[in-house]
Amino acid sequence: MIRGNAKQITRATRALETYEQSAFPGEPSLLQHDPLYAEALLTALLCDLEHYANHHGINFTSAISTGHSINTEEATDQTTYEVGDQVRLTRQSGRCGSIIGWTSPAPDVQPDYLVEVPGVPFVYAETAAHLTPAPPFPPTETSLGTITHANQAEQAYTSITAQLLSTAEPTHEILDQDRHRLLDALSSWSGISTTQLHEALTPPPRATATSCWPTTTNRSRVAPQEDTGNRARRFPPS
């Protein structure tokens, strides 16, 4: 959601109203009543500003370009996100994830949004300037229903994988197909490889009476349980 800057809009309105009164003295203002008129007036103002810039040796094209860039940055900074929003991280190779919260060091400082990316064992902290809305998660048909959100897909994949060992045919094959469809959808949406997703989302094997401690064969599967518990507090290494 993008909120306009009230002070900037007020300043621009006053400038345009002053220009209108200078161009049409004594005439009632039409700025708030006719969008085409307002656009024509703004065009005339820009034209006069270019004459002014040329007269004083100012690079008008550069000024317009810089102003547009600043406006774009300000509009981005004013974007707000909510928990559950799906976003793309522009500084992280375009990876996509979901907002799970935010931190704000001070009231007048832009918050850092906490973004959870499927298959990544830590949480990214990014300002709105480095986030854009993510494309919709591809609807994925499964025996559990249609999955339309990345978080749903992660939960469904983990649940199905846990069921496979104790499920007989033909249900086993159906669930396995569901699992592969979910993995492909998560990978294409998030930008994380299917291998990394599989390793991160596959639940660890249950401990048995004769195997209470991690072994060389299951240590890598059990150790991530600690990461999962601390996921909301871990951040990428600087």
Side-chain angles (χ1 to χ4, degrees), residues 3 76-79 103-113 127-129:
R3 300 173 296 187
T76 300
D77 288 341
Q78 292 160 15
T79 302
T103 61
S104 184
D108 57 343
V109 176
Q110 291 293 323
D112 286 326
Y113 290 98
T127 61

Side-chain angles (χ1 to χ4, degrees), residues 123-140:
V123 170
Y124 291 99
E126 297 282 4
T127 61
H130 301 299
L131 300 174
T132 60
F137 185 82
T140 306

